[in-house]
Amino acid sequence: MTESSDTAVDIARDHSREPIPGKVILIAVLAGFSGLLYGYDSGAISGALPLLIDQMGLNVGEQGLITSLLLWGALPSIIGATVAAKRFDRRHLLIVAAVIFLVGSLACAIAPNPVVLGAARFFLGLGVGIANMFGLIYLSELSPTRIRGLLTGLYQLAVNFGILAAYIVGDAFQTSGGWEWILGIGALPAVIFLVGMVLAPASPRWLITRGRDDDARKVLKSLRGTEEIARMEFNDIKASLAKQEGGIGMVLHSARRPMIVLLILTFFQVFTGINAVVYYAPIIFAESGMGANAGAYANYGVGIALVLSTAIALPIIDKLGRVKLLAISMIGQAIAMVGLWLLPDAGWISIFAVFIYTFAFGIGMGPVFWLLVPEVLPLSIRAIGTGIITFAQYLFNAVFSWAFPVALDAIGSIVFFIFALLSAAALWFVLARVPETSNKSLEEIEAYWRTERAAKHPESSIRN
């Protein structure tokens, strides 16, 4: 490794004028189908479940099990994919996820009984775990620095769009009773995703970790505006890798600080109440005098709010910055939750508070959190680190899903005041501990963590 390439990582460059090839946008859209499929398969059960109850006679336990098996299926796939990432490219793993989405969607559509349907949902969950991890990593590693926030944020927009699309499809098939179509239509975007990933290039950063430097150079040249930009980025990646020890030891040692930041943000993303709003919205709408359409108002309202807010966030996420968007998000969430605490049954006022909260989450904590995960993790442990964060998030969601109804029944609307306090605590944490990563290459972000660690532990820096 030359001295010039080492220096390239440590000196920040101005990325604001880098040209963006159209090929990058196309690949990002295709990779974003991983998020769309995750969102669709998560939301499709909402419209299919009432029909399944009528046609299959599902009891309460079976309803909860079939709904949650998608989540439980994701957990083992996160572990397996993290191990497999040491040998296989992110793109190859996404191809596997696409096949799982295709086969799983068709299996759900033809399931003759609850047992087969539950097994198909669990199988779909395997694809969800892979897609949620490596869709983000792949987008982050292929994106030019100038629009990395925009392109990586496409994943969260795709998730929200998939949820909204599932609500629309579910509503369309309510009259005919075609739950098979609601669950099976997910096979169509799975085919597009599969073809797209077969044609897409490998991650240049993964290629370099496998010693395939020439292949990495070719990919970078095709995805960057000039050969000079591609050359400098290649040198940055090589220099950054030379300073990493890699493996689980790095997670526990030199990468400990970014991992702690991400784990705390994971806690705040879940326990500031986004799923509570999703659960509570139908209740608010039902008590607002809107009659039989209350459920549709709730689903469409929350779904549209998530899509619109994330769409607004994408073009400003690189210009305004991650930290500012997170701060705005936490302020909006806290205000909305105070409103729900004080006026939980106030009709349109309560409904407005739900929309403010959902919009605030969708413009900040939703897309920015998942953008930060692959950004702040060093390359050599990006897969295993993302696996740990994703696994933790699914576990937090499972605990929250169980605990929220119990808490709501026990303490009523006070639970929303607790969410407001946690949002305020998250605001302090974001402003005090989360680094700004916009307009910085992934290698420059790694250099930031090394510099911070050296400043806090100079003796460790000398030994290394």
Side-chain angles (χ1 to χ4, degrees):
M1 182 51 51
T2 64
E3 181 179 350
S4 60
S5 64
D6 278 323
T7 304
V9 180
D10 297 322
I11 299 177
R13 296 193 300 270
D14 181 11
H15 302 276
S16 61
R17 297 183 181 276
E18 293 180 1
I20 308 298
K23 181 180 179 180
V24 173
I25 307 296
L26 176 60
I27 294 172
V29 170
L30 292 172
F33 270 79
S34 61
L36 185 145
L37 285 159
Y38 169 37
Y40 185 87
D41 288 319
S42 297
I45 197 66
S46 175
L49 199 56
L51 304 176
L52 289 166
I53 293 170
D54 290 339
Q55 297 179 30
M56 288 189 177
L58 300 182
N59 59 40
V60 175
E62 290 170 334
Q63 295 169 37
L65 183 60
I66 288 176
T67 301
S68 64
L69 277 170
L70 192 78
L71 174 64
W72 293 113
L75 294 178
S77 73
I78 291 169
I79 298 172
T82 301
V83 175
K86 296 178 181 179
R87 181 174 181 180
F88 298 101
D89 176 32
R90 289 74 158 109
R91 182 180 68 96
H92 292 146
L93 293 170
L94 289 174
I95 289 173
V96 172
V99 173
I100 293 174
F101 279 123
L102 175 59
V103 175
S105 296
L106 295 176
C108 286
I110 63 175
N113 55 58
V115 174
V116 176
L117 179 59
R121 290 278 294 174
F122 184 88
F123 183 71
L124 265 179
L126 300 176
V128 166
I130 298 172
N132 202 31
M133 275 186 62
F134 290 98
L136 287 163
I137 294 176
Y138 185 72
L139 281 167
S140 180
E141 293 185 347
L142 260 71
S143 300
T145 298
R146 181 161 72 87
I147 59 168
R148 189 176 63 247
L150 170 65
L151 296 189
T152 308
L154 278 174
Y155 180 87
Q156 188 63 37
L157 178 63
V159 171
N160 294 337
F161 184 80
I163 293 172
L164 180 59
Y167 291 155
I168 294 172
V169 171
D171 191 42
F173 284 97
Q174 288 302 306
T175 303
S176 65
W179 63 264
E180 302 93 337
W181 287 98
I182 298 173
L183 299 180
I185 280 177
L188 296 179
V191 171
I192 299 174
F193 180 42
L194 175 60
V195 173
M197 288 300 94
V198 169
L199 298 176
S203 163
R205 286 168 171 82
W206 182 86
L207 289 170
I208 292 173
T209 64
R210 307 303 294 177
R212 297 168 58 182
D213 290 4
D214 290 341
D215 291 335
R217 288 190 182 93
K218 290 178 183 177
V219 173
L220 283 171
K221 287 179 182 179
S222 70
L223 298 179
R224 299 298 178 257
T226 67
E227 282 198 27
E228 177 64 14
I229 293 173
R231 183 190 64 79
M232 289 191 294
E233 187 166 334
F234 177 86
N235 287 338
D236 284 354
I237 297 169
K238 292 286 286 185
S240 179
L241 280 173
K243 298 179 180 179
Q244 299 175 10
E245 66 266 29
I248 192 67
M250 187 175 182
V251 174
L252 300 174
H253 184 49
S254 57
R256 183 174 66 250
R257 292 187 66 80
M259 285 297 298
I260 290 174
V261 167
L262 290 176
L263 284 170
I264 293 175
L265 280 178
T266 305
F267 172 84
F268 282 130
Q269 195 204 39
V270 174
F271 285 94
T272 50
I274 182 59
N275 286 330
V277 165
V278 173
Y279 300 151
Y280 193 59
I283 298 174
I284 295 177
F285 281 74
E287 294 177 354
S288 64
M290 294 182 181
N293 292 323
Y297 282 121
N299 283 343
Y300 283 125
V302 171
I304 290 171
L306 284 172
V307 170
L308 285 179
S309 58
T310 306
I312 291 171
L314 293 189
I316 63 175
I317 202 169
D318 288 303
K319 297 177 182 177
L320 193 60
R322 285 54 157 159
V323 171
K324 287 182 180 178
L325 271 182
L326 283 174
I328 291 170
S329 180
M330 291 301 95
I331 292 171
Q333 288 184 200
I335 292 173
M337 281 300 178
V338 168
L340 279 176
W341 165 51
L342 296 175
L343 302 166
D345 303 312
W348 283 106
I349 296 177
S350 302
I351 292 169
F352 182 69
V354 168
F355 285 138
I356 291 295
Y357 175 88
T358 307
F359 193 91
F361 178 88
I363 205 170
M365 186 58 95
V368 175
F369 168 76
W370 286 114
L371 167 60
L372 283 171
V373 171
E375 277 191 337
V376 304
L377 291 171
L379 173 57
S380 67
I381 58 110
R382 189 164 293 146
I384 189 173
T386 303
I388 292 171
I389 298 301
T390 307
F391 193 91
Q393 221 244 9
Y394 275 98
L395 281 180
F396 286 160
N397 273 322
V399 171
F400 185 93
S401 299
W402 168 82
F404 172 70
V406 176
L408 184 62
D409 182 65
I411 62 176
S413 65
I414 294 176
V415 70
F416 298 109
F417 178 65
I418 295 173
F419 294 150
L421 291 178
L422 287 172
S423 294
L427 173 63
W428 172 85
F429 179 77
V430 165
L431 295 176
R433 294 290 183 264
V434 177
E436 181 56 65
T437 58
S438 60
N439 202 34
K440 293 181 175 65
S441 72
L442 296 178
E443 287 64 48
E444 289 166 356
I445 297 169
E446 288 188 32
Y448 162 82
W449 290 114
R450 287 197 300 271
T451 301
E452 185 188 64
R453 179 169 173 265
K456 292 180 178 295
H457 305 284
E459 72 287 350
S460 174
S461 178
I462 294 172
R463 286 196 305 268
N464 292 335

